[in-house]
Amino acid sequence: MIGAQLVRENPARPAERVGAVPVTPVDQVDATVRAAHRDFLDRAAVTMARRLVELADAADRLDLRRAELAALLARETGKPVTDCHGEIAFAATYLRWVCANAQRVLTPTLLDDELGRLSCAQAPYGVIVAITPWNAPIILAVLKLGPALAAGNTVVLKPSPLAPLTVTEVAAMLPGVRVVHGGAELVTALVSHPLVGKVTFTGGGQAGRSIAATAGGALTPVVLELGGNDPAVFLDDFALTADDYERLVLASFATAGQVCMAAKRLYVPAGRLDEFVESYRAAAQRILLVGDPMIDEVTMGPVVTRAAATRMSELLADARHRGGSVLRLADAPTGDGYFVEPALVLGLPDDANLVCQEQFGPLVPVLGYSTEDDALARANDSELGLGASVWSADEDRAFAFAARIEAGFTFVNTHNRTGMSLRAPFGGTKRSGSGREYAEEGLREYAQPTVIHAPAAFRAGGPGLSARAYPTN
Ligand code: NAD
């Protein structure tokens, strides 16, 4: 940050300044939340149908500006521009899904029968504070903004300082959203503000703990979408085609491995390790091109910061120290960009840092296992439980194994975004968070059931009920 500006550099060419946004002073938080709350009250007159038209308009504008926004996103994050096109298009697709489903999911219900009159509305919380990470900054913001706005809330969005530019453009397309920029101090002031109805956070565990503690102190409900250390388990009958191997490689190395649900630990039957590694290496040579994110053919760019690159060097040094052998999968450009050579690491013990920590980078451990129970115990031996995958020629067998994995979302014969579905709720178990995004569950996160009930017993002429009775229906 320079003075009151937050300047973003290009991770592929750090000397290049991509853009800047103004830092929001902490003493402006109160005025910002109050303004968002006034908007919330004013927008009570806006019908859900009208709100959904606004979301649909934003989806159209995302489509119209896709190329320009994708280029900006690639330059501020280091993600390949082709992936950035995909992310912007996916955000528009998700907004249209919200438009198609919000009325059905959020419409109030009314029962008026022999038991009484019972209405249940899906009421907004008021002001939602949304704190988002850098690695998929558009879709991860839109997963919060779409449902929150559909339900009638307003939002104060605090994006990551590592990717503040594109998301600020996107948020400006949506009525009812204010964007603030800054770090932890700003977040604490937002989360503890008494007029905030709910907090929603996507990011790492450390920030998550701090946000949950502050929200807890204010008794403000909070959604936490945190990190993962996803295992991918290959059952002994796994039968991957060349295409499957390519998809598997990108399941770990897309966004240079900096994806919450990347395949981060690969468990392979010991007897099939050599065959697996050879096919994997061949697929990586076909599919992994590390380079300038602005080149269409590039599939892996740099990591996001110098600190992230340094952490990868440290993890690699530790892995070597722990007896791991490193299999480099592709060359990376030299120069001052934050490029890291993608690699598999073989022969590590389970307590090596690269195995038991979320690496969030392009280094992936391959671990041999003896029996299915051995694989299951080691896959589950993590405080995190976000995603996982099971690979088998037999779908029933894969589902039976998957049911024993501790994860919010287990993919079968794929992993990462190719296994997602708009109709499937996504979120973590264990210390990977609470709350869900996507699907009906994601829409319901930003609406609270509020009930009005007149029991028939107390209507004029009704049978009445003893003052000490419990209900029976
Ligand atoms: P991060 O936790 O460093 O930052 C996320 C947001 O929190 C940013 O806006 C940041 O400014 C803010 N922040 C950082 N430290 C804070 C603190 N101490 N107090 C308050 N706010 C703070 O995460 P990141 O590097 O942007 O993203 C990477 C992490 O996010 C990984 O762990 C990844 O797995 C996780 N992630 C999870 C999901 C999911 O859906 N579960 C999706 C994407 C990323």
Side-chain angles (χ1 to χ4, degrees):
M1 293 181 202
I2 296 175
Q5 293 265 293
L6 195 159
V7 176
R8 184 58 190 143
E9 67 191 13
N10 181 341
R13 283 183 296 274
E16 178 188 311
R17 174 186 153 131
V18 184
V21 289
V23 174
T24 309
V26 174
D27 64 12
Q28 272 184 23
V29 163
D30 182 55
T32 305
V33 174
R34 284 183 190 284
H37 192 255
R38 276 196 303 278
D39 274 4
F40 163 65
L41 298 176
D42 291 347
R43 282 176 65 82
V46 181
T47 61
M48 183 186 287
R50 176 66 215 153
R51 298 196 297 267
L52 298 183
V53 168
E54 292 170 355
L55 296 183
D57 284 349
D60 291 346
R61 269 181 277 167
L62 281 175
D63 284 346
L64 283 173
R65 293 182 56 193
R66 189 187 313 159
E68 167 217 342
L69 293 171
L72 182 61
L73 187 58
R75 289 173 62 227
E76 68 174 329
T77 59
K79 296 201 318 181
V81 70
T82 313
D83 290 352
C84 294
H85 270 261
E87 183 178 337
I88 309 270
F90 186 47
T93 300
Y94 178 68
L95 284 177
R96 294 193 177 104
W97 186 91
V98 171
C99 294
N101 290 278
Q103 292 276 16
R104 175 179 59 84
V105 177
L106 299 178
T107 292
T109 53
L110 176 65
L111 296 171
D112 195 354
D113 56 20
E114 71 285 358
L115 299 180
R117 182 161 154 185
L118 173 63
S119 80
C120 182
Q122 300 295 328
Y125 284 87
V127 179
I128 303 288
V129 163
I131 305 134
T132 50
W134 71 269
N135 64 330
I138 306 309
I139 183 62
L140 293 173
V142 163
L143 284 170
K144 299 177 186 310
L145 299 176
L149 295 170
N153 303 279
T154 55
V155 183
V156 179
L157 172 67
K158 208 299 289 173
S160 167
L162 300 178
L165 304 172
T166 318
V167 72
T168 301
E169 300 279 324
V170 172
M173 300 173 184
L174 291 159
V177 181
R178 287 181 155 70
V179 182
V180 292
H181 295 288
E185 207 191 339
L186 189 72
V187 171
T188 302
L190 285 165
V191 171
S192 56
H193 197 287
L195 278 181
V196 169
K198 190 163 187 174
V199 171
T200 173
F201 171 72
T202 301
Q206 198 183 342
R209 253 175 238 276
S210 156
I211 287 167
T214 308
L219 289 181
T220 304
V222 60
V223 174
L224 298 169
E225 303 288 345
L226 308 178
N229 191 9
D230 287 18
V233 181
F234 300 83
L235 300 186
D236 60 11
D237 66 344
F238 76 84
L240 273 67
T241 64
D243 284 351
D244 292 334
Y245 272 105
E246 289 182 15
R247 206 170 60 253
L248 174 63
V249 169
L250 286 186
S252 291
F253 292 97
T255 313
Q258 302 161 112
V259 178
C260 59
M261 56 174 163
K264 291 173 178 155
R265 301 177 277 154
L266 311 183
Y267 291 93
V268 181
R272 297 189 64 187
L273 256 178
D274 291 347
E275 159 204 349
F276 176 88
V277 169
E278 202 33 58
S279 301
Y280 193 104
R281 190 223 302 254
Q285 280 168 357
R286 293 192 302 274
I287 194 83
L288 276 186
L289 178 61
V290 186
D292 186 331
M294 294 308 287
I295 298 170
D296 279 350
E297 292 72 28
V298 160
T299 50
M300 193 185 120
V303 294
V304 69
T305 54
R306 188 178 304 281
T310 303
R311 177 155 182 269
M312 289 305 117
S313 305
E314 290 166 359
L315 277 176
L316 202 59
D318 181 69
R320 286 201 167 99
H321 175 69
R322 298 300 308 275
S325 58
V326 178
L327 180 69
R328 204 164 49 83
L329 296 173
D331 295 330
T334 52
D336 58 357
Y338 307 138
F339 291 97
V340 175
E341 283 176 345
L344 294 180
V345 182
L346 311 174
L348 282 174
D350 286 353
D351 64 349
N353 289 341
L354 187 61
V355 181
C356 61
Q357 294 177 6
E358 179 185 29
Q359 69 273 59
F360 212 61
L363 302 173
V364 176
V366 181
L367 304 138
Y369 73 83
S370 52
T371 63
E372 270 190 23
D373 284 347
D374 172 40
L376 183 74
R378 290 162 66 195
N380 283 342
D381 184 18
S382 170
E383 67 165 11
L384 302 177
L386 187 62
S389 64
V390 183
W391 302 68
S392 167
D394 178 343
E395 206 172 276
D396 290 340
R397 210 181 144 198
F399 267 69
F401 189 88
R404 299 163 70 201
I405 288 193
E406 295 163 359
F409 202 125
T410 302
F411 308 102
V412 169
N413 291 329
T414 196
H415 200 127
N416 207 331
R417 67 181 188 230
T418 54
M420 303 287 289
S421 165
L422 294 173
R423 65 182 180 170
F426 183 88
T429 61
K430 302 198 277 189
R431 298 297 177 267
S432 285
S434 55
R436 291 294 181 267
E437 294 189 316
Y438 294 99
E440 291 192 10
E441 289 81 352
L443 278 175
R444 290 190 202 280
E445 282 299 352
Y446 303 97
Q448 47 193 340
T450 52
V451 166
I452 307 173
H453 185 211
F458 309 117
R459 285 173 162 168
L465 201 60
S466 146
R468 302 182 67 187
Y470 285 88
T472 55
N473 50 44

